[in-house]
Amino acid sequence: MFESTENKRLFKGKVPPDLWMKCPECGEIVYKPDFLKNFKVCPKCNYHHRLSWKEWLELLVDKETFEEKFKMKPVDVLGFKDILPYESRIKASQETTGVEEAIITGKGKINGWECFIGIFEFSFMGGSMGIVVGEKIANLFENAVIEKLSVLLVISSGGARMQEGMFSLMQMAKTVAAVSYFKKNCKKPYISVLSDPTTGGVAASFAFLADIVIAEPKSLIGFAGPRVIEQTIGESLPPGFQKSEFLLEKGMVDLISERKELKNKISKLFHLLTK
């Protein structure tokens, strides 16, 4: 028995328009509800799509335990302007992401384990590190020493923020000093989670100073990007160069974790390293 044209029209109107999506990594069409249920991991190729800071909170932090701390807003100290004034870029990023800077810092619990937490928001100017990002990270480690708590950083960044010039590069020294102070004065672990991408001055400073460095599968991790290196040295790079699997093989990261297993692994590591 065939449906009438009217029934078909009514049925079509009730079907959500975005049930399917194309994975940018493998090009396969995937069922979006399954993709979201799987923490934005492609079920066909295991590609880990970027998460917002809110999605990271939902994934890693116990419900209703996160308390944001060290709120600060970036300032255009140089009066920088390229195509747009720096102040305009800041405002646009704030309106798009709903956050004031490229990192959200605070305190929460991971499977009951209280710790200080910093999560980068890549959608905010590529998760770049300027004066405020560096200051917030320094505050995170300094207060972790005062309260004798562990530290977790979830990183996704393009590196230092060019609109703040040398001031942004100075944050590399500041954050390294903060981690050093934490390690000397607090017998608690620091764990970093490197997601795609973790590059530039962020990778060259505090990201790799953690007691345990965890990477997500297939993440781009390194200082300069592969294209820049190839153009500079005039040679082809090995397959998978600067991907997390390559770095694990070379001893640059301690382990690679699937997103769905990350929370339990972090809490277990906190427990083991503390004991």
Side-chain angles (χ1 to χ4, degrees):
M1 186 175 180
F2 296 98
E3 291 182 319
S4 67
T5 304
E6 179 66 16
N7 285 341
K8 286 182 178 181
R9 186 185 66 79
L10 291 173
F11 179 74
K12 183 178 180 180
K14 294 179 181 179
V15 177
D18 57 349
L19 279 179
W20 302 91
M21 59 170 285
K22 184 177 182 179
C23 174
E25 181 71 9
C26 65
E28 293 288 331
I29 303 299
V30 297
Y31 187 51
K32 195 170 183 179
D34 287 346
F35 168 76
L36 296 174
K37 188 178 179 181
N38 199 33
F39 307 111
K40 286 191 173 180
V41 177
C42 176
K44 303 290 181 68
C45 68
N46 202 39
Y47 178 69
H48 285 51
H49 293 247
R50 290 174 189 150
L51 296 180
S52 68
W53 72 274
K54 287 185 178 180
E55 289 168 328
W56 276 115
L57 270 185
E58 185 179 350
L59 174 68
L60 296 178
V61 183
D62 297 349
K63 191 175 181 180
E64 297 181 355
T65 65
F66 184 76
E67 179 187 358
E68 188 176 358
K69 292 180 176 293
F70 322 125
K71 287 187 176 183
M72 303 177 205
K73 294 182 179 180
V75 178
D76 183 10
V77 293
L78 299 177
F80 190 94
K81 182 179 180 180
D82 46 277
I83 298 174
L84 294 173
Y86 179 34
E87 287 186 347
S88 298
R89 294 192 181 278
I90 292 172
K91 186 177 179 181
S93 291
Q94 289 172 338
E95 291 175 351
T96 302
T97 62
V99 294
E100 295 178 340
E101 248 294 6
I103 188 172
I104 295 82
T105 51
K107 189 165 64 172
K109 293 182 179 180
I110 300 175
N111 285 336
W113 197 277
E114 190 174 27
C115 60
F116 277 94
I117 302 166
I119 303 174
F120 275 77
E121 174 57 74
F122 189 80
S123 297
F124 194 108
M125 299 189 70
S128 53
M129 177 171 66
I131 296 170
V132 170
V133 170
E135 185 66 18
K136 292 181 77 170
I137 291 171
N139 280 335
L140 201 71
F141 283 103
E142 289 167 3
N143 281 271
V145 172
I146 295 171
E147 299 192 34
K148 303 298 180 186
L149 293 177
S150 305
V151 175
L152 171 70
L153 288 180
V154 181
I155 303 167
S156 179
S157 173
R161 188 172 298 172
M162 68 174 188
Q163 288 87 352
E164 295 186 17
M166 185 57 69
F167 290 107
S168 66
L169 297 179
M170 289 168 64
Q171 307 314 306
M172 295 173 65
K174 179 191 285 185
T175 54
V176 168
V179 174
S180 178
Y181 174 76
F182 171 81
K183 290 190 172 185
K184 288 179 180 178
N185 296 281
C186 186
K187 303 301 181 183
K188 299 290 184 178
Y190 157 41
I191 295 175
S192 63
V193 176
L194 311 186
S195 60
D196 183 66
T198 300
T199 57
V202 169
S205 54
F206 60 88
F208 278 99
L209 294 179
D211 298 298
I212 298 291
V213 179
I214 304 173
E216 287 206 293
K218 302 179 182 179
S219 294
L220 177 66
I221 302 168
F223 185 64
R227 279 187 301 174
V228 174
I229 296 174
E230 285 187 330
Q231 290 169 3
T232 302
I233 66 175
E235 295 182 15
S236 298
L237 298 171
F241 181 76
Q242 288 191 332
K243 291 293 185 177
S244 49
E245 291 77 11
F246 185 88
L247 270 67
L248 179 66
E249 181 184 336
K250 303 301 180 183
M252 289 294 291
V253 301
D254 296 299
L255 62 100
I256 295 173
S257 176
E258 296 285 338
R259 195 168 279 171
K260 60 187 177 183
E261 301 171 352
L262 199 51
K263 182 175 182 178
N264 288 335
K265 285 186 177 180
I266 290 170
S267 61
K268 286 179 181 178
L269 285 167
F270 275 153
H271 177 77
L272 290 171
L273 292 173
T274 300
K275 295 297 182 182

